[in-house]
Amino acid sequence: YLHISHYTSTLLSSSRIMMTSSTKSLLMIALIVSSCNAFQPTTPIAPTHHKTPTTSLQMGIFDDLKLIFSEEGQKNRAEYIEREKEEQMEAQRLIMERRTDPTKMAEYMDTVETNRGKLQEERSVYDFQTKNGGEGYDPLDEWKRLKKEGKVKSQSDLERE
């Protein structure tokens, strides 16, 4: 402390530096505080209460890539490809079987025609949107009538997820 105060008084009393008394006081306090070790630990203390996590989070694209290219991921992918291939082969077998049997082909064509008819009926309900009606025709009135009959559904009628 004596060394610092002697240095400070020598520095402050030098004729080259012109300071006011408040500046001298602030400088003296700053020098004393900077040399003080009261608030600093003498030895670093290792945190004993903190544990590092043993598991890592996996939520990025690189984690997905690791899974895909890992041994397990390659095995899963091979199983998926094999399963898809078997399903496609079965579908192809059914198509070839249907083409060679006239009764199965007739059943298939009946089903196709029935589905096309249903789709056409569903689409024809909305023809009022493009219909050019005469004087006094309002598509909104037609829509309200179809909604009342249950043929048209609005967004509020549909089930939400």
mmCIF file of all heavy atoms in Angstrom, residues 87-103:
data_model
loop_
_atom_site.group_PDB
_atom_site.id
_atom_site.type_symbol
_atom_site.label_atom_id
_atom_site.label_comp_id
_atom_site.label_asym_id
_atom_site.label_seq_id
_atom_site.Cartn_x
_atom_site.Cartn_y
_atom_site.Cartn_z
ATOM 1 N N GLU A 87 -44.384 -55.735 -52.639
ATOM 2 C CA GLU A 87 -45.734 -55.197 -52.852
ATOM 3 C C GLU A 87 -45.965 -54.883 -54.325
ATOM 4 O O GLU A 87 -47.044 -55.154 -54.866
ATOM 5 C CB GLU A 87 -45.940 -53.943 -52.006
ATOM 6 C CG GLU A 87 -46.046 -54.216 -50.518
ATOM 7 C CD GLU A 87 -46.096 -52.936 -49.689
ATOM 8 O OE1 GLU A 87 -46.130 -51.825 -50.274
ATOM 9 O OE2 GLU A 87 -46.097 -53.048 -48.458
ATOM 10 N N GLN A 88 -44.965 -54.314 -54.982
ATOM 11 C CA GLN A 88 -45.097 -53.987 -56.397
ATOM 12 C C GLN A 88 -45.173 -55.253 -57.253
ATOM 13 O O GLN A 88 -45.929 -55.304 -58.229
ATOM 14 C CB GLN A 88 -43.928 -53.108 -56.845
ATOM 15 C CG GLN A 88 -43.973 -51.720 -56.246
ATOM 16 C CD GLN A 88 -42.735 -50.906 -56.554
ATOM 17 O OE1 GLN A 88 -41.831 -51.354 -57.239
ATOM 18 N NE2 GLN A 88 -42.692 -49.687 -56.023
ATOM 19 N N MET A 89 -44.405 -56.259 -56.882
ATOM 20 C CA MET A 89 -44.452 -57.525 -57.621
ATOM 21 C C MET A 89 -45.827 -58.187 -57.475
ATOM 22 O O MET A 89 -46.365 -58.750 -58.440
ATOM 23 C CB MET A 89 -43.347 -58.476 -57.131
ATOM 24 C CG MET A 89 -41.946 -58.031 -57.488
ATOM 25 S SD MET A 89 -41.636 -57.989 -59.250
ATOM 26 C CE MET A 89 -41.467 -59.729 -59.583
ATOM 27 N N GLU A 90 -46.413 -58.113 -56.280
ATOM 28 C CA GLU A 90 -47.748 -58.677 -56.049
ATOM 29 C C GLU A 90 -48.797 -57.922 -56.871
ATOM 30 O O GLU A 90 -49.684 -58.533 -57.474
ATOM 31 C CB GLU A 90 -48.108 -58.633 -54.555
ATOM 32 C CG GLU A 90 -49.469 -59.170 -54.213
ATOM 33 C CD GLU A 90 -49.648 -60.653 -54.523
ATOM 34 O OE1 GLU A 90 -48.654 -61.373 -54.666
ATOM 35 O OE2 GLU A 90 -50.812 -61.076 -54.634
ATOM 36 N N ALA A 91 -48.703 -56.588 -56.896
ATOM 37 C CA ALA A 91 -49.644 -55.795 -57.686
ATOM 38 C C ALA A 91 -49.503 -56.127 -59.176
ATOM 39 O O ALA A 91 -50.513 -56.255 -59.890
ATOM 40 C CB ALA A 91 -49.407 -54.307 -57.447
ATOM 41 N N GLN A 92 -48.267 -56.274 -59.643
ATOM 42 C CA GLN A 92 -48.037 -56.627 -61.044
ATOM 43 C C GLN A 92 -48.588 -58.015 -61.359
ATOM 44 O O GLN A 92 -49.186 -58.238 -62.421
ATOM 45 C CB GLN A 92 -46.537 -56.573 -61.353
ATOM 46 C CG GLN A 92 -46.197 -56.809 -62.805
ATOM 47 C CD GLN A 92 -46.685 -55.690 -63.692
ATOM 48 O OE1 GLN A 92 -46.784 -54.546 -63.269
ATOM 49 N NE2 GLN A 92 -47.010 -56.030 -64.929
ATOM 50 N N ARG A 93 -48.433 -58.950 -60.430
ATOM 51 C CA ARG A 93 -48.955 -60.305 -60.624
ATOM 52 C C ARG A 93 -50.481 -60.275 -60.755
ATOM 53 O O ARG A 93 -51.071 -60.947 -61.614
ATOM 54 C CB ARG A 93 -48.545 -61.207 -59.456
ATOM 55 C CG ARG A 93 -48.889 -62.673 -59.660
ATOM 56 C CD ARG A 93 -48.646 -63.496 -58.423
ATOM 57 N NE ARG A 93 -49.475 -63.120 -57.290
ATOM 58 C CZ ARG A 93 -50.783 -63.418 -57.169
ATOM 59 N NH1 ARG A 93 -51.401 -64.078 -58.107
ATOM 60 N NH2 ARG A 93 -51.457 -63.034 -56.097
ATOM 61 N N LEU A 94 -51.156 -59.463 -59.888
ATOM 62 C CA LEU A 94 -52.621 -59.358 -59.952
ATOM 63 C C LEU A 94 -53.070 -58.739 -61.278
ATOM 64 O O LEU A 94 -54.089 -59.154 -61.851
ATOM 65 C CB LEU A 94 -53.145 -58.546 -58.770
ATOM 66 C CG LEU A 94 -53.036 -59.211 -57.397
ATOM 67 C CD1 LEU A 94 -53.458 -58.244 -56.305
ATOM 68 C CD2 LEU A 94 -53.868 -60.483 -57.350
ATOM 69 N N ILE A 95 -52.335 -57.754 -61.772
ATOM 70 C CA ILE A 95 -52.680 -57.129 -63.052
ATOM 71 C C ILE A 95 -52.572 -58.147 -64.182
ATOM 72 O O ILE A 95 -53.469 -58.261 -65.030
ATOM 73 C CB ILE A 95 -51.770 -55.911 -63.321
ATOM 74 C CG1 ILE A 95 -52.111 -54.770 -62.357
ATOM 75 C CG2 ILE A 95 -51.898 -55.436 -64.766
ATOM 76 C CD1 ILE A 95 -51.128 -53.618 -62.387
ATOM 77 N N MET A 96 -51.477 -58.886 -64.201
ATOM 78 C CA MET A 96 -51.270 -59.883 -65.257
ATOM 79 C C MET A 96 -52.338 -60.995 -65.179
ATOM 80 O O MET A 96 -52.840 -61.448 -66.212
ATOM 81 C CB MET A 96 -49.871 -60.494 -65.157
ATOM 82 C CG MET A 96 -48.751 -59.504 -65.409
ATOM 83 S SD MET A 96 -48.843 -58.680 -66.998
ATOM 84 C CE MET A 96 -48.455 -60.031 -68.074
ATOM 85 N N GLU A 97 -52.691 -61.401 -63.970
ATOM 86 C CA GLU A 97 -53.726 -62.417 -63.780
ATOM 87 C C GLU A 97 -55.075 -61.918 -64.280
ATOM 88 O O GLU A 97 -55.825 -62.634 -64.945
ATOM 89 C CB GLU A 97 -53.806 -62.774 -62.291
ATOM 90 C CG GLU A 97 -54.735 -63.917 -61.962
ATOM 91 C CD GLU A 97 -54.716 -64.227 -60.478
ATOM 92 O OE1 GLU A 97 -53.608 -64.415 -59.933
ATOM 93 O OE2 GLU A 97 -55.803 -64.257 -59.868
ATOM 94 N N ARG A 98 -55.395 -60.658 -63.986
ATOM 95 C CA ARG A 98 -56.671 -60.072 -64.406
ATOM 96 C C ARG A 98 -56.728 -59.957 -65.928
ATOM 97 O O ARG A 98 -57.775 -60.178 -66.538
ATOM 98 C CB ARG A 98 -56.824 -58.696 -63.746
ATOM 99 C CG ARG A 98 -58.128 -58.022 -64.049
ATOM 100 C CD ARG A 98 -58.306 -56.725 -63.309
ATOM 101 N NE ARG A 98 -57.246 -55.778 -63.591
ATOM 102 C CZ ARG A 98 -56.510 -55.167 -62.654
ATOM 103 N NH1 ARG A 98 -56.722 -55.398 -61.389
ATOM 104 N NH2 ARG A 98 -55.592 -54.314 -62.986
ATOM 105 N N ARG A 99 -55.614 -59.615 -66.557
ATOM 106 C CA ARG A 99 -55.604 -59.453 -68.007
ATOM 107 C C ARG A 99 -55.796 -60.772 -68.753
ATOM 108 O O ARG A 99 -56.309 -60.780 -69.873
ATOM 109 C CB ARG A 99 -54.284 -58.801 -68.449
ATOM 110 C CG ARG A 99 -54.219 -57.349 -68.113
ATOM 111 C CD ARG A 99 -52.958 -56.732 -68.639
ATOM 112 N NE ARG A 99 -52.900 -55.310 -68.285
ATOM 113 C CZ ARG A 99 -51.826 -54.558 -68.461
ATOM 114 N NH1 ARG A 99 -50.727 -55.079 -68.972
ATOM 115 N NH2 ARG A 99 -51.856 -53.296 -68.128
ATOM 116 N N THR A 100 -55.369 -61.838 -68.146
ATOM 117 C CA THR A 100 -55.507 -63.132 -68.827
ATOM 118 C C THR A 100 -56.858 -63.797 -68.568
ATOM 119 O O THR A 100 -57.250 -64.692 -69.319
ATOM 120 C CB THR A 100 -54.380 -64.097 -68.384
ATOM 121 O OG1 THR A 100 -54.405 -64.235 -66.968
ATOM 122 C CG2 THR A 100 -53.030 -63.585 -68.836
ATOM 123 N N ASP A 101 -57.592 -63.365 -67.547
ATOM 124 C CA ASP A 101 -58.891 -63.963 -67.210
ATOM 125 C C ASP A 101 -60.003 -62.980 -67.591
ATOM 126 O O ASP A 101 -60.129 -61.907 -66.994
ATOM 127 C CB ASP A 101 -58.929 -64.270 -65.713
ATOM 128 C CG ASP A 101 -60.154 -65.060 -65.309
ATOM 129 O OD1 ASP A 101 -60.982 -65.376 -66.177
ATOM 130 O OD2 ASP A 101 -60.267 -65.361 -64.106
ATOM 131 N N PRO A 102 -60.856 -63.323 -68.574
ATOM 132 C CA PRO A 102 -61.905 -62.394 -69.028
ATOM 133 C C PRO A 102 -62.921 -62.043 -67.945
ATOM 134 O O PRO A 102 -63.425 -60.903 -67.909
ATOM 135 C CB PRO A 102 -62.594 -63.140 -70.180
ATOM 136 C CG PRO A 102 -61.646 -64.195 -70.602
ATOM 137 C CD PRO A 102 -60.806 -64.522 -69.420
ATOM 138 N N THR A 103 -63.252 -62.954 -67.035
ATOM 139 C CA THR A 103 -64.237 -62.633 -65.986
ATOM 140 C C THR A 103 -63.665 -61.624 -64.993
ATOM 141 O O THR A 103 -64.377 -60.702 -64.565
ATOM 142 C CB THR A 103 -64.682 -63.903 -65.237
ATOM 143 O OG1 THR A 103 -63.539 -64.556 -64.692
ATOM 144 C CG2 THR A 103 -65.424 -64.844 -66.168
#
